[in-house]
Amino acid sequence: HVQLVESGGGSVQAGGSLTLSCSVSGNGDGSGYWCSAWFRQAPGKERDWVATDNGVGTTYYGDSVKGRFAISRDARKNIMYLQMSGLKPEDTAIYYCAALCRGQWDSPDCTYWGQGTQVTVS
């Protein structure tokens, strides 16, 4: 039974930084190299894709976060990260990590999802 647990959300002032973590457990060998992604959902809006790590060294970012956010992982520890800097009020959303993703890198179809963590930028 695979579980993804996010942490690191919170409130921050505009221009500040946060790092989200996503711990993956209950998975099999090699899962540290799964394609993974981060999504976010702002109040009253649909869930949007943020970034993808394809598991073999290539990352992709949405235009709104490119240059400010960085997706990474510690494959041995099975932890995913989303480093966010230069935060803006429009980055306020619930952020979700997802793993075992397939398909288009900018709209991946992911099998496993975390419960979400709130990020508020004021």
Side-chain angles (χ1 to χ4, degrees):
H1 179 60
V2 177
Q3 284 190 310
L4 277 65
V5 179
E6 295 116 338
S7 60
S11 297
V12 64
Q13 291 189 335
S17 301
L18 280 175
T19 296
L20 305 182
S21 300
C22 176
S23 179
V24 183
S25 62
N27 45 359
D29 291 341
S31 57
Y33 301 93
W34 285 348
C35 176
S36 61
W38 288 88
F39 294 78
R40 67 185 181 185
Q41 187 167 18
K45 296 187 177 181
E46 293 187 350
R47 188 171 61 197
D48 283 336
W49 167 75
V50 174
T52 299
D53 177 341
N54 71 355
V56 290
T58 304
T59 57
Y60 308 89
Y61 299 93
D63 288 341
S64 63
V65 305
K66 199 173 295 182
R68 300 188 297 123
F69 290 14
I71 186 173
S72 62
R73 72 175 70 203
D74 184 327
R76 289 194 303 170
K77 295 182 179 179
N78 254 335
I79 301 176
M80 302 157 47
Y81 301 99
L82 184 68
Q83 295 174 283
M84 307 183 293
S85 61
L87 283 162
K88 305 174 182 180
E90 51 263 44
D91 293 318
T92 294
I94 299 173
Y95 284 72
Y96 299 89
C97 62
L100 193 57
C101 304
R102 297 180 179 88
Q104 297 283 76
W105 56 262
D106 59 350
S107 59
D109 179 18
C110 304
T111 301
Y112 301 111
W113 291 81
Q115 81 287 354
T117 187
Q118 177 71 46
V119 172
T120 302
V121 185
S122 59

